[in-house]
Amino acid sequence: MSSETTETCDAFLGGRVQLYQPADGYRAGVDPVMLAAATPAQPGQHVLELGCGAGAALLCLHARVAGLSLTGVEMQPMYADLARRNAALNGADMRVVEADLRHLPPDIKTRGFDHVMANPPYYDRARSTSSLNAGRDMALAGDTPLSDWIDVAAKRLAPKGYLTMIQKADRLPDILTPLMARLGSVRVRAIQPRVGRVAELVIVQARKGGRAAFVMEPPLIMHEGERHLRDGESYTAQVLTILREGGDLPWGH
C-alpha cells in the first residue's frame, strides 16, 4: 500500500509509541492504550494478544514494561503487516502471527502465556450493520463469538496467568458466562465518560486457576465534570497519566 495516500503515523503515550495505521478503516484510539495499562505484566513475562490489529496495545505495553516476550495474532494480512512494521519502528521484539484465533499454529497452541490480552470486536454480528470498509467491519464486528475468544484465551494461559479484555459495557453478560466457567478471580472495571454517566466500556480481568470472589472495581472516569463545557481536552488526571505518560491502571487487591 502507498504510505503517502493510505496510511498515517500517529503518536501514542506522548510520542513514546509511533503507529502506522490505515487512513481509512479501523484505527486505534484510547481503548488499546487502556487495555495495555490494565495488563499487569512484569519484566520477563510472556504476553499474547488475540486480534492485535496494527499492534497498538502490545506496543503500549512494551513502552511501559521492559523485557517482555510479545506475540500478536491477527487474521487480516494488512494489519498483521502493519503490526510487524510498527514493532520494528518502535524497537520491540514482537512476533506477529497471521492466523484466525480459532486455528492457531502448533507452536502457539502448545505454549502457555503469563498474560493474554484481547480487544474483541465490539458489536454482535447478528445485531449490527456491516461497514463498507472490510478491515473496519472485521475489527468492529467480525464473525467470532466472544465465547470463542475466551475459550482460546483460557487455553493459552499458563497456570495463574491473567486474561485482560476490554469490551463494550452492554456485552458484559456475553463475557461473564463463558469467562466464569473457564477462569476465576474475575474483576470488572467500568469506564464512564463522566461522573453520573452510564458506562460505555468495561475492562475485565480473570485468572487461570483463580479462586477469589468476583470484584466490581471502582469505575474509571474519563473526563472531568458532569458535562462538556469547553473546547479542548478534559481528561481526568488519572487518564492523562495513562494516555500521555504510559501509566498503569492498577487493580485492587
Side-chain angles (χ1 to χ4, degrees), residues 22 24-27 74 76 78-79 131-142:
D24 297 308
Y26 172 75
R27 292 172 56 79
E74 174 53 49
Q76 297 191 76
M78 180 187 75
Y79 285 95
S131 170
L132 295 178
N133 182 285
R136 180 176 174 81
D137 181 66
M138 184 63 69
L140 293 182

Side-chain angles (χ1 to χ4, degrees), residues 61-253:
L61 185 61
H62 163 77
R64 179 169 64 84
V65 184
L68 295 174
S69 173
L70 303 174
T71 302
V73 173
E74 174 53 49
M75 72 177 298
Q76 297 191 76
M78 180 187 75
Y79 285 95
D81 179 64
L82 282 171
R84 295 185 189 103
R85 290 169 53 201
N86 286 327
L89 178 65
N90 290 276
D93 182 12
M94 183 173 98
R95 181 189 178 201
V96 180
V97 178
E98 186 181 316
D100 186 319
L101 64 89
R102 294 168 294 187
H103 304 288
L104 296 174
D107 63 320
I108 292 183
K109 291 179 71 172
T110 56
R111 290 182 62 190
F113 293 83
D114 301 295
H115 298 273
V116 175
M117 305 163 60
N119 182 7
Y122 283 167
Y123 299 98
D124 186 338
R125 168 65 68 203
R127 290 179 276 174
S128 61
T129 302
S130 297
S131 170
L132 295 178
N133 182 285
R136 180 176 174 81
D137 181 66
M138 184 63 69
L140 293 182
D143 62 0
T144 305
L146 278 173
S147 58
D148 285 359
W149 287 75
I150 292 166
D151 182 62
V152 172
K155 289 177 179 177
R156 297 283 57 79
L157 282 173
K160 303 300 182 182
Y162 288 96
L163 167 63
T164 307
M165 178 182 292
I166 189 168
Q167 184 55 243
K168 278 175 60 67
D170 62 7
R171 299 202 69 192
L172 183 58
D174 299 329
I175 294 173
L176 288 181
T177 298
L179 187 70
M180 297 183 81
R182 297 299 307 271
L183 301 171
S185 302
V186 177
R187 310 180 83 97
V188 175
R189 185 189 303 277
I191 301 179
Q192 297 176 210
R194 297 179 185 276
V195 172
R197 297 286 185 87
V198 172
E200 295 181 354
L201 298 172
V202 290
I203 300 178
V204 181
Q205 184 192 83
R207 193 173 195 186
K208 191 164 188 173
R211 298 187 177 186
F214 175 87
V215 174
M216 190 73 196
E217 296 272 351
L220 176 68
I221 308 298
M222 292 293 293
H223 296 277
E224 298 281 2
E226 296 183 3
R227 61 186 184 277
H228 184 72
L229 296 175
R230 63 185 186 279
D231 292 337
E233 289 186 347
S234 60
Y235 290 123
T236 61
Q238 183 181 17
V239 170
L240 273 176
T241 298
I242 293 169
L243 297 181
R244 301 289 181 264
E245 301 174 22
D248 65 348
L249 180 56
W251 298 88
H253 298 287

Side-chain angles (χ1 to χ4, degrees), residues 1-9 20-24 82 85:
M1 73 178 77
S2 169
S3 60
E4 293 182 358
T5 58
T6 62
E7 293 176 4
T8 63
C9 187
Y20 287 117
Q21 304 192 85
D24 297 308
L82 282 171
R85 290 169 53 201

